[in-house]
């Protein structure tokens, strides 16, 4: 019994020593692991593109919707009646002044001209005889061989012959005009429209419409400034001609330029606007009557204007703002007031300084006070 108790005590003691050894071994492993651990990675800093503020002289424009109008637009009609013989200019073709457009059968008018010329020849012969007869009568009257009444008759006959010849010459001019009117020519350069009278049609004087002709170069662009804008326009006009830019639908840069040439003398009381008109060179016929465009009037220059890219703008309940690079490469938010645009840039009237660096990208991923890594970008095009 005593031996069994001694063996049991020995086993318990050995077990306790073993547990203690394992515990000490684990503590050693934990202590060694902590000493050899790697440092925690640094926090991520958002890279952002930044640009400098642009300082420039900004042209100030007034912008309007406008409509293109032709300077001259006419209906082509015949000045003499007759059968339409030929259409020499195709529908929609561009013509020059004096180009032949239509031709009326000229035979009747040529015959009338020949008849008038023959009448001139006949009455010229009559006049020559009357003049010669009066000359002989003058000599006879001086010698007393011709009565005064006979002399007066010869004088009257000469005057009648002279008047008849003048009448014949007038008839020749009329016949020449009528023959010329048988050819319908373009009175000014432009573009003809769709033919409205087939060849063979019997046309009447000012009764049968043949076609239309519109002038395309130069051309008018008409718009309606407000009476409040009229003050700026008149001030600009006092300093010289006002340049007008024309922008076609979808264009961001003007394709054609002209000059303000007309301002009406009455303001429409129902709309508070006035009619104005610019004359535009249209050598390529890009503009057509009835077309809707936009016009910009260059009214003045605004020097020392601060400009930033439009993509840098943000919007909140407090208004428009910009993110700029602050001290220690942190984000500063600045509320700004805006002015006119110029291409991709917009003017800032208050809120920033010329030395600010504006953040233009990753705007949705940053906020005021956040650290950022600036990536300088090329200077915006001015």
């Amino acid at each position: 019994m005593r031996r069994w108790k001694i063996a049991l005590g020995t086993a318990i003691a050995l077990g306790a020593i073993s547990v203690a050894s394992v515990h000490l071994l684990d503590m050693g492993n934990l202590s060694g692991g902590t000493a050899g651990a790697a440092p925690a990675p640094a926090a991520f800093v958002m890279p952002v593109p930044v640009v400098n503020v642009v300082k420039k002289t900004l042209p100030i424009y007034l912008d309007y919707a406008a409509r293109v109008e032709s300077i001259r637009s006419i209906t082509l009609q015949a000045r003499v009646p007759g059968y339409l013989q030929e259409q020499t200019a195709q529908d929609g073709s561009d013509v020059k002044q004096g180009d032949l457009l239509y031709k009326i059968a000229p035979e009747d008018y040529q015959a009338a001209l020949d008849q008038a010329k023959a009448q001139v020849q006949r009455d010229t012969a009559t006049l020559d005889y009357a003049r010669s007869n009066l000359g002989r009568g003058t000599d006879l009257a001086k010698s007393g061989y011709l009565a005064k009444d006979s002399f007066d008759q010869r004088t009257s006959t000469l005057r009648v012959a002279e008047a008849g010849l003048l009448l014949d010459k007038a008839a020749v001019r009329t016949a020449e005009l009528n023959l010329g009117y048988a050819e319908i020519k373009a009175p000014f350069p432009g573009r003809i429209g769709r033919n409205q009278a087939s060849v063979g049609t019997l046309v009447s004087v000012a009764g049968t419409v043949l076609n239309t002709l519109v002038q395309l170069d130069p051309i008018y662009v008409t718009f309606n400034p407000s009476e409040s804008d009229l003050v700026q326009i008149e001030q600009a006009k006092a300093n010289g001609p006002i340049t007008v830019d024309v922008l076609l639908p979808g264009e961001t840069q003007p394709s054609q330029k002209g000059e303000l040439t007309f301002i009406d003398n009455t303001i429409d009381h129902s709309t508070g606007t006035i009619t104005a008109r610019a004359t535009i060179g249209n050598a390529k016929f890009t503009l057509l009557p009835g077309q809707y465009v936009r016009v910009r009037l260059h009214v003045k220059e605004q020097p020392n204007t601060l400009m930033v890219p439009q993509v840098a703008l943000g919007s909140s309940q407090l208004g428009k703002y910009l993110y700029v690079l602050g001290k220690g490469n942190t984000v500063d938010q600045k509320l700004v007031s805006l002015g006119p645009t110029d291409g991709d840039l917009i003017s800032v009237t208050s809120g920033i300084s010329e030395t600010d660096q504006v953040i233009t990208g990753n705007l949705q991923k940053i906020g005021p006070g956040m650290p950022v890594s600036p990536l300088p970008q090329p200077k915006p095009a001015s």
Side-chain angles (χ1 to χ4, degrees):
M1 186 68 178
R2 180 177 177 85
R3 291 180 178 175
W4 180 85
K5 290 182 179 179
I6 293 172
L8 179 62
T10 303
I12 292 173
L14 291 173
I17 293 171
S18 176
V19 170
S21 299
V22 171
H23 178 69
L24 290 174
L25 180 62
D26 289 342
M27 290 296 292
N29 289 339
L30 288 175
S31 176
T34 302
F44 175 75
V45 178
M46 178 65 65
V48 291
V50 296
V51 296
N52 294 325
V53 175
V54 176
K55 186 177 182 180
K56 61 177 291 188
T57 298
L58 178 66
I60 302 300
Y61 296 98
L62 297 177
D63 189 275
Y64 304 100
R67 188 171 184 177
V68 181
E69 297 179 354
S70 61
I71 293 179
R72 288 184 287 184
S73 177
I74 62 170
T75 298
L76 295 174
Q77 294 177 293
R79 299 183 66 173
V80 293
Y83 287 96
L84 190 62
Q85 185 180 68
E86 184 182 4
Q87 178 187 355
T88 58
Q90 298 301 315
D91 292 358
S93 59
D94 299 321
V95 298
K96 299 177 182 178
Q97 183 174 354
D99 283 356
L100 181 63
L101 307 180
Y102 289 91
K103 190 173 182 180
I104 295 172
E107 291 81 7
D108 292 343
Y109 301 105
Q110 184 63 57
L113 177 58
D114 294 341
Q115 183 179 359
K117 288 181 176 180
Q119 188 71 27
V120 168
Q121 292 179 353
R122 187 189 66 179
D123 288 349
T124 298
T126 300
L127 177 61
D128 291 342
Y129 173 76
R131 187 176 290 118
S132 177
N133 195 30
L134 179 61
R136 290 190 300 271
T138 301
D139 295 337
L140 292 174
K142 288 180 180 180
S143 61
Y145 291 102
L146 182 65
K148 187 175 186 314
D149 182 65
S150 298
F151 178 78
D152 291 342
Q153 287 181 357
R154 294 187 182 191
T155 302
S156 177
T157 300
L158 176 62
R159 292 177 178 174
V160 169
E162 289 174 343
L165 185 58
L166 291 175
L167 187 61
D168 294 340
K169 290 181 178 179
V172 169
R173 288 196 295 272
T174 300
E176 288 174 340
L177 287 173
N178 288 336
L179 181 61
Y181 293 152
E183 293 185 343
I184 300 171
K185 299 180 179 180
F188 53 83
R191 178 176 294 176
I192 64 171
R194 179 174 58 86
N195 179 49
Q196 301 181 46
S198 301
V199 172
T201 301
L202 178 61
V203 299
S204 58
V205 177
T208 305
V209 175
L210 303 178
N211 211 319
T212 57
L213 175 66
V214 296
Q215 179 178 331
L216 297 180
D217 183 30
I219 202 164
Y220 287 147
V221 174
T222 302
F223 54 97
N224 299 97
S226 66
E227 55 184 319
S228 58
D229 289 346
L230 184 59
V231 176
Q232 295 186 62
I233 294 174
E234 291 292 354
Q235 290 175 348
K237 189 177 178 183
N239 296 326
I242 298 179
T243 302
V244 178
D245 297 336
V246 179
L247 292 90
L248 298 174
E251 287 186 340
T252 57
Q253 295 297 323
S255 57
Q256 287 161 287
K257 295 180 180 290
E259 182 180 326
L260 181 67
T261 53
F262 170 76
I263 299 177
D264 207 350
N265 56 7
T266 304
I267 294 177
D268 187 338
H269 64 85
S270 62
T271 62
T273 61
I274 191 169
T275 300
R277 188 172 65 202
T279 303
I280 310 297
N282 191 33
K284 295 183 179 179
F285 299 161
T286 306
L287 302 176
L288 295 177
Q291 187 175 11
Y292 286 96
V293 296
R294 296 201 66 82
V295 296
R296 296 190 316 188
L297 275 65
H298 185 193
V299 292
K300 63 180 179 180
E301 299 282 342
Q302 182 174 304
N304 301 322
T305 304
L306 302 183
M307 310 286 293
V308 299
Q310 296 189 53
V311 295
L313 283 174
S315 183
S316 69
Q317 294 179 345
L318 299 177
K320 298 293 184 180
Y321 65 85
L322 292 170
Y323 285 142
V324 300
L325 197 63
K327 292 182 178 180
N329 288 342
T330 58
V331 177
D332 281 349
Q333 184 183 47
K334 292 190 175 183
L335 295 175
V336 293
S337 298
L338 305 176
T341 61
D342 183 25
D344 295 333
L345 301 179
I346 187 168
S347 60
V348 180
T349 58
S350 65
I352 63 171
S353 66
E354 185 180 353
T355 58
D356 281 332
Q357 289 185 295
V358 179
I359 300 173
T360 61
N362 289 334
L363 302 179
Q364 303 299 324
K365 302 176 182 179
I366 60 176
M370 286 183 58
V372 291
S373 175
L375 303 174
Q377 303 295 304
K379 182 179 179 181
S382 59

